[in-house]
Amino acid sequence: MASVVNRANPLLSTLPRVLARRTLGFHAIYRGRLGFSTQSQLDPDPPVAGTKVLETFKEEFEIGSRLITLETGKIARFANGAVVLGMEDTKVLSAVTSAKGDAVRDFLPLTVDYQEKQFAQGVIPNTFMRREGAPKERELLCGRIIDRPIRPLFPAGFYHEVQVMASIISSDGKQDPDVMAANSTSAALMLSDIPWGGPIGVIRIGRICGQFIINPTMDELSLSDLNLIYACTMDKTLMIDVQAREISEKDLEAGLRLAHPEAVKYIEPQIRLAAKAGKVKKEYKLSMVSDRTLEKVSDLAEAPIEAVFTDPTYGKFERGEALDKITQDVKRALEEECDEESLRVLSKAVDTVRKKVVRKRIISEGIRVDGRHLDEVRPLYCEVGYLPRLHGSSLFNRGDTQVLCTITLGAPSDAQRLESLVGPPKKRFMLHYSFQPFCINEVGKRVGLNRREVGHGTLAEKALLAVLPPEDDFPYTVRVYAEVMSSDGSTSMGTVAGASMALMDAGIPLRDHVAGVSVGLVSEVDPSTGTINDYRILTDILGLEDHLGDMDFKVSGTRKGITAIQLDIKPAGIPLDIICESLEPALKARFQILDHMEREIYAPRIQNDINSPRLATLKYKNDDIRRLIGPLGVLKSKIEEETGGRISVGDGTLTIVAKNQTIMEKVLEKIDFIIGREIEVGGVYKGVVSSVKEYGAFVEFNGGQQGLLHISELSHDQVSRVSDVVSVGQQLSVMCIGQDVRGNIKVSLKALSPRPASDTINVADGSIPSTKERPNIWASVGDMSSTKEKVNSPSDLPESKHEVREVDPLISSTPSVLVRSASKCDEEETSASTQYSKSAPKTVNGLQSGRKSSSFQVEDVPNSPFSIPGSVPNTNAKNSKTLVPKEQESEPIFRKQEGDGKQDGKGVTTTVKVLKVGTKVNAEVYQIRALGVVLDLGGGLRGMYRFETDSRKEFEVGEKVQVMCSSFSSKGIPIMSLVEDE
């Protein structure tokens, strides 16, 4: 800095530093950096930065109705290969790299990372750190979609570490970018110097109304009954992934035949792009077993290995121990010869010999390792209800493979929230697959999400989605936890069968059972041409056959069709004809498994266990729900804390989740006390005695409503004083039996207590058998065959001359229930001189003015396997229906309503208020009984005409007759007599 200042002005060297800075205005020079303000004074024309030229290569082509672009050279230029694939406004970047140096391992460490960047749709991540975070399940699944078709095309012995990173950098939400990422990865590998036997083409096929659609959008996929992802080379199939809605094998084959030529259209543009911008493939050192080593190991191990594999008595672990012993014997022999080269690749060489022995025996003799025929399924064992305290459980065994499946039901709010760029925002059906180390007798450590577990669980989940009930009929959240107890091949297909049985054990109304089976392939290939000379298809493969074979073709479905498929292969492609041929043995094996499953459980189970978890759905007005939740949800949280249940709030609905029936009743009691339920005749309610009178007691229940408990309804025995039975503040359960003549809700205590054996069944008792209707509770709550209580109709009782066939007229089916306070009832009681008023009071909307009224609605609910017969959701709506239970509709109901009767010349259409002895009425025969006829007198009023002792007149239902009121029964029922025609 000093030299720069002196060059500008020599006098500055003699000035104090402070003076130079502050008085002469050289502050910028003193603090400036060399090359900025000082250099600008020396060089008035600084050099201008040049323009960077990005050499970009692009290929455009059309598949279906979509224009697709492949571009390289603009971004990620340092990657070994990088390609951006675009389809409309969606762009996917795939970059591949390879590790330097020699490989010292005996496997291909290929890593595929797929990431959906939230900025691709202009969204900030909703995580705490506002970063993308750990890979989500969908990202792991999309990574597997990329990994499975590209892995078989790496050359044998290439064990250098390779990493593929595919990321979504722009998304319009219309296209699922997983297929795009697979194609861009193939193009990136073609551009790189990594040895690879591509390119490949990956296509998605949908089907709507029987018409196949190429590259369907997300909206089209929601309507499609097929979601097929197909990957191939020019002439062979590499990977298949299918989710379907019971599509037939014939239709699936047609879809596969269409998918192959469409996928091949991706291959030619990649070849052209690689010709323009691709690198020369690098020479990598391959870790191959020499012919000399392979021959030496084969001479030592082939005979003992063949002896083990030809003995079907060996189990999985016995066979493994015997093969390990053979390996140790070969190792000792090589150590004696000091053959270091062979010792380094001993494990690989022994595995090659094993593979040769097993495949040769299957091709030549058609006999497998465990002695089965090629199309034979291992022995099966099925059991449901293994864990009784759960919603549902099952145990499924196929050979030595065993899977334990459990079901947990939750409220709609328990659904999993998804934050993916495409697809639904939540998932209400979840299947979690767990592969514990003990299932293969190994020591291991549990870590985070495992790609294999996520893939197997999703395959089973897709297989079951096709048979689940729709969300409108079945709004609950379901979690299936499938834990592998022992593994010897195809645990994912065992999970499908076990989960299907467990879902039915939980009472979930599946349309049909779903089963799955894994089909394998052993082929004989010409080494010079690579063509398959001979092959054998294996049904229900073992773990060893999966390892030593060429294909793992998992097919699951119902008796009607296929619901899910996953194909993984080991060679560099399999002809499509062989894959289509494998569908037939998979179908036969699936039917065998379904037969065993249906023998164990063939329909959704209905359990009756008070300890099993409970679910209930209640319907209320939104105002009532807000009252239940309370400010900031305090009241709802308090109920959950006090009872141990959970309440999920929806639009007009409450979903309650409880561990058992006791907790469920506590939650329902809290809700009833706060907002009440509809008043139902026969419904049982918990209440508190608010006041005691000489004629009975008033009970407060159902969110502040009051009911009259008459002294006659306290007990079956005669009660002299009400206070001897109940007291103010006492909590008790009562049954609603209707209304009294003053409009009060009439409740009964004796209706809930058993009748003494000495009493005679009497219809005129005044009480109604309990038909309490509960909310829409899950099927596991109660047994359909036991929840309905039979209601004895008077017509079903034995005839007797002492029998009374009158029905209590005080039981009203009027939906509008009038509630009075105890003080108002006292005032009316002291002023009233007779049972009926002298004149009818004014009415407002059908209810007496000045009285508090409540209106209730009973919603009709269709019978479903997950609701108790006769149960209805709670509603508080304006429209009203009868309060009389459905089982009692066949009984004559005698209503007492108020209104004016109208004369028609001969009789009156009247009500009980104006009906007097001697009044003539035009009536209609409503019902014919053994001792008389029930007459419809009009206005909701019914009366009784008794047959005379010596004669019986013939009547027909609906016949018009003229009658006259001759008397009233002790219960107030009009007794009518016939009026002769004048």
Side-chain angles (χ1 to χ4, degrees), residues 387-433:
L387 304 174
R389 292 298 293 267
L390 307 183
H391 282 119
S393 62
S394 71
L395 198 62
F396 180 80
N397 281 65
R398 186 179 58 245
D400 289 333
T401 297
Q402 183 183 70
V403 183
L404 173 66
C405 294
T406 60
I407 307 297
T408 306
L409 306 178
S413 60
D414 293 327
Q416 181 183 3
R417 295 182 180 180
L418 305 176
E419 293 185 356
S420 59
L421 298 181
V422 293
K426 64 178 181 178
K427 184 167 68 171
R428 68 186 183 97
F429 178 72
M430 301 165 286
L431 194 150
H432 297 155
Y433 169 96

Side-chain angles (χ1 to χ4, degrees), residues 723-736:
S723 58
D724 293 340
V725 181
V726 295
S727 59
V728 176
Q730 180 180 352
Q731 295 184 358
L732 43 81
S733 296
V734 293
M735 177 189 293
C736 175

Side-chain angles (χ1 to χ4, degrees), residues 708-970:
L708 175 61
L709 178 59
H710 196 265
I711 189 173
S712 61
E713 297 296 336
L714 289 172
S715 175
H716 293 290
D717 300 328
Q718 186 174 0
V719 178
S720 58
R721 289 195 307 173
V722 179
S723 58
D724 293 340
V725 181
V726 295
S727 59
V728 176
Q730 180 180 352
Q731 295 184 358
L732 43 81
S733 296
V734 293
M735 177 189 293
C736 175
I737 59 175
Q739 288 179 266
D740 63 11
V741 294
R742 297 183 177 86
N744 294 291
I745 300 175
K746 186 179 179 184
V747 297
S748 175
L749 189 61
K750 70 179 183 181
L752 297 177
S753 59
R755 184 187 298 274
S758 60
D759 288 358
T760 304
I761 300 177
N762 194 335
V763 180
D765 190 310
S767 62
I768 294 179
S770 173
T771 58
K772 179 181 180 182
E773 298 180 355
R774 301 298 297 166
N776 185 9
I777 303 180
W778 199 293
S780 60
V781 172
D783 194 336
M784 287 185 179
S785 61
S786 61
T787 52
K788 279 192 177 181
E789 298 182 16
K790 295 182 179 180
V791 181
N792 294 324
S793 173
S795 60
D796 298 331
L797 300 178
E799 294 188 21
S800 172
K801 66 179 182 178
H802 301 293
E803 183 179 17
V804 180
R805 293 207 172 263
E806 300 173 357
V807 180
D808 191 351
L810 305 184
I811 302 173
S812 171
S813 61
T814 305
S816 298
V817 181
L818 305 181
V819 182
R820 294 180 177 176
S821 63
S823 59
K824 184 163 290 188
C825 288
D826 292 340
E827 295 174 4
E828 293 254 357
E829 191 172 61
T830 56
S831 61
S833 58
T834 60
Q835 183 178 2
Y836 305 108
S837 304
K838 293 181 179 181
S839 61
K842 297 181 180 180
T843 61
V844 179
N845 295 330
L847 303 178
Q848 294 184 17
S849 60
R851 298 178 178 177
K852 180 182 178 183
S853 63
S854 300
S855 178
F856 304 91
Q857 178 186 8
V858 179
E859 179 177 328
D860 297 328
V861 178
N863 292 331
S864 61
F866 53 88
S867 62
I868 290 182
S871 67
V872 295
N874 291 329
T875 59
N876 291 333
K878 295 181 179 180
N879 299 328
S880 301
K881 294 186 180 180
T882 177
L883 297 181
V884 178
K886 183 177 181 180
E887 293 86 348
Q888 300 180 10
E889 290 179 356
S890 60
E891 295 193 21
I893 305 300
F894 298 88
R895 300 184 179 181
K896 293 188 176 182
Q897 295 185 351
E898 301 168 356
D900 297 330
K902 296 182 179 180
Q903 297 286 345
D904 62 358
K906 289 186 178 182
V908 179
T909 300
T910 185
T911 59
V912 73
K913 289 291 187 179
V914 298
L915 185 63
K916 300 179 182 179
V917 175
T919 302
K920 295 180 180 180
V921 179
N922 291 328
E924 180 179 338
V925 177
Y926 177 79
Q927 197 174 48
I928 301 175
R929 295 298 185 88
L931 301 181
V933 177
V934 178
L935 300 172
D936 187 351
L937 305 181
L941 179 66
R942 298 192 179 108
M944 171 70 77
Y945 166 73
R946 290 194 176 114
F947 294 138
E948 296 180 5
T949 307
D950 299 330
S951 63
R952 170 174 175 150
K953 180 176 174 61
E954 296 297 327
F955 291 89
E956 293 182 1
V957 176
E959 180 182 351
K960 305 291 185 180
V961 295
Q962 188 177 20
V963 292
M964 180 179 66
C965 179
S966 59
S967 63
F968 290 91
S969 70
S970 59

